[in-house]
Amino acid sequence: MNTTSQSKQASLEFDIHAKLRSANSHWSYLYATQPHDEGCNYQFITNFVDGIEFAVYKRIDNYFILVDFFKSYDEACKDAKEIINTNPEIKMMLTTN
């Protein structure tokens, strides 16, 4: 059995937990939904502390789970880009200089 190719595949997959640890980030991995979140499947949050940083959260049941945090569209992971791409206004904001 060749585990080398499996190890390389796993190491190429995005790991939000590892990114949070390595960046010593302030972003929460998970937070509970609130009544005003009814019908909302995603949260796009902007933080202006020490420069502009963005976070994308995806709703799973009664929680929002962090998909990724980044300073530019190019830094976002594949899943975050897919979410952003479905929202043209957000994508334009991130990709316009």
Side-chain angles (χ1 to χ4, degrees):
M1 181 172 157
N2 184 353
T3 58
T4 305
S5 63
Q6 291 173 351
S7 298
K8 286 182 182 178
Q9 170 95 17
S11 67
L12 295 177
E13 292 180 23
F14 180 74
D15 182 353
I16 190 61
H17 299 288
K19 185 173 181 179
L20 282 166
R21 281 191 300 275
S22 68
N24 195 24
S25 180
H26 63 85
W27 295 107
S28 296
Y29 172 70
L30 160 118
Y31 65 91
T33 60
Q34 301 298 312
H36 65 271
D37 294 321
E38 186 65 34
C40 182
N41 293 320
Y42 302 102
Q43 292 278 342
F44 180 79
I45 302 173
T46 306
N47 185 319
F48 295 100
V49 177
D50 296 328
I52 299 175
E53 190 170 50
F54 309 97
V56 174
Y57 286 84
K58 180 179 181 178
R59 184 180 189 146
I60 298 177
D61 297 324
N62 292 324
Y63 296 94
F64 281 102
I65 309 294
L66 181 63
V67 175
D68 195 8
F69 59 96
F70 45 89
K71 294 188 179 197
S72 71
Y73 177 82
D74 293 333
E75 293 178 8
C77 73
K78 178 183 169 233
D79 291 339
K81 285 180 180 177
E82 288 174 1
I83 294 167
I84 293 166
N85 291 342
T86 63
N87 295 280
E89 301 87 11
I90 292 174
K91 184 173 182 183
M92 187 180 348
M93 179 182 69
L94 289 171
T95 57
T96 302
N97 291 332

